[in-house]
Amino acid sequence: PRLLSQFFFADERVTRVVAEINGLDAELDPQQYLVLLNQLHLSQAHLLAVLERIMEECIPTQRHSRDYLVKFPEELLVDNLGNHMLFAAECLLAGTFLEMEESDGAQLRPQARNLLCSLELVRTVLREQSLSQPSSYPEPVRAVLIQFDRLFAEFELSYVSSLVAVKSPDEIYRQQEIIVLFCETVERALHLGYLTQEMIDGYEPLLMFTIPRLAIISGLLIYPEGPLSLERSPEEMSRVFSPFYNLLKKIRDLLWVLSAEELCLLERSLCTAE
């Protein structure tokens, strides 16, 4: 059950697979080479997962901030992102610039080298600690973990920023505005009886359509200074809504002529229509 013991065996597995790959002629047995590469990917992912748990146990208050993750596109926020970063660092150090310009890769190579050297130091220190005192984390162990955590975060941010356009502070703020609008829309719908708490607690599939529809009405009429404000230019709106700027104007103009009763009837119909 000790994390350091788990790390020892996970590290042994990585070392064994690497040795098998180094002893194999990939040209003579390409299929076995691919099998071993897959095993290496899985064993490294397990090693990083155990290392993550060790850092949470050993240096929980000294972890490097990961606030920058909110800038990343949602499709990148997957469970194996850390393993992908490790693979990317190995490729950069080997001179292979995957998915990026060679000039960008050359700039990232020093960071990749520092990260991989730090990981090797962590592996060495934790292996020694697991064989001597697997239940404690002395200061030298904590120090190498803090350094590795910092270098990993710095490389992750730099690497992803070189591949994709990370969100600006303005974009993050607009996204938060939409979250607030949806929350206020749900609260208003509950108050008016359009939705029930049971529907929300039960993850009623209809809500996937109902809440965005109600949010458009709320954003245009109830909270006109929010993320759907048509006083802004399309460029100043969230990219979720900016392509529909002219359509939103037409919807707003139609909503303005509705009476309170007609608006209520419309909103109730949006909660049931498919």
Side-chain angles (χ1 to χ4, degrees):
R2 296 175 183 146
L3 287 178
L4 281 175
S5 298
Q6 294 178 33
F7 182 88
F8 177 85
F9 289 108
D11 186 74
E12 282 280 285
R13 177 61 178 162
V14 171
T15 301
R16 186 163 58 250
V17 175
V18 169
E20 290 183 44
I21 290 176
N22 291 336
L24 181 71
D25 190 329
E27 294 184 357
L28 293 179
D29 196 348
Q31 186 173 0
Q32 179 62 16
Y33 181 72
L34 292 177
V35 170
L36 290 175
L37 279 182
N38 184 59
Q39 291 181 6
L40 178 61
H41 176 80
L42 294 175
S43 60
Q44 284 181 331
H46 178 58
L47 181 71
L48 288 178
V50 177
L51 180 55
E52 177 68 22
R53 292 168 59 197
I54 288 175
M55 290 191 291
E56 281 299 308
E57 180 178 89
C58 179
I59 54 171
T61 61
Q62 297 168 288
R63 300 293 305 272
H64 193 82
S65 173
R66 295 302 197 278
D67 289 347
Y68 59 81
L69 289 175
V70 301
K71 298 182 178 182
F72 289 2
E74 292 183 3
E75 60 269 19
L76 291 184
L77 300 179
V78 293
D79 291 338
N80 63 344
L81 179 60
N83 202 38
H84 183 74
M85 290 299 105
L86 181 60
F87 177 70
E90 292 170 340
C91 289
L92 287 172
L93 198 59
T96 303
F97 306 111
L98 297 176
E99 306 172 320
M100 65 172 56
E101 298 292 333
E102 184 174 345
S103 58
D104 293 332
Q107 290 183 348
L108 286 173
R109 284 190 71 184
Q111 280 186 282
R113 181 182 298 106
N114 291 339
L115 172 61
L116 294 176
C117 288
S118 178
L119 177 59
E120 286 304 308
L121 179 59
V122 165
R123 291 177 64 183
T124 299
V125 169
L126 290 184
R127 280 174 63 90
E128 293 174 353
Q129 188 64 24
S130 67
L131 293 172
S132 58
Q133 294 179 299
S135 299
S136 64
Y137 301 102
E139 186 55 37
V141 173
R142 296 166 61 86
V144 296
L145 288 174
I146 291 172
Q147 181 189 49
F148 170 75
D149 188 47
R150 176 180 60 81
L151 291 174
F152 198 105
E154 291 175 350
F155 177 77
E156 185 174 56
L157 176 58
S158 298
Y159 181 79
V160 173
S161 298
S162 69
L163 292 180
V164 299
V166 297
K167 298 174 185 174
S168 67
D170 285 342
E171 288 173 310
I172 295 172
Y173 179 75
R174 291 174 193 145
Q175 189 175 39
Q176 291 172 337
E177 278 191 314
I178 295 174
I179 294 172
V180 171
L181 172 63
F182 273 56
C183 291
E184 291 177 337
T185 296
V186 170
E187 183 178 356
R188 177 173 174 270
L190 287 172
H191 176 72
L192 295 175
Y194 298 154
L195 307 176
T196 65
Q197 190 62 49
E198 289 73 19
M199 294 172 66
I200 296 173
D201 294 340
Y203 300 102
E204 173 63 45
L206 185 61
L207 298 179
M208 294 285 291
F209 303 96
T210 298
I211 294 176
R213 291 168 174 171
L214 294 177
I216 290 175
I217 293 179
S218 295
L220 293 173
L221 291 184
I222 313 302
Y223 310 108
E225 296 181 358
L228 285 182
S229 172
L230 297 179
E231 299 303 317
R232 306 176 180 180
S233 66
E235 293 75 20
E236 294 174 314
M237 297 180 69
S238 166
R239 286 181 291 180
V240 174
F241 296 115
S242 58
F244 310 103
Y245 186 81
N246 292 329
L247 177 60
L248 290 171
K249 272 192 169 183
K250 294 178 181 179
I251 294 174
R252 183 197 59 183
D253 294 342
L254 290 172
L255 293 175
W256 273 350
V257 302
L258 296 180
S259 66
E261 293 76 12
E262 289 171 331
L263 178 62
C264 179
L265 181 62
L266 172 63
E267 290 185 305
R268 287 192 179 279
S269 68
L270 292 177
C271 295
T272 56
E274 296 183 357

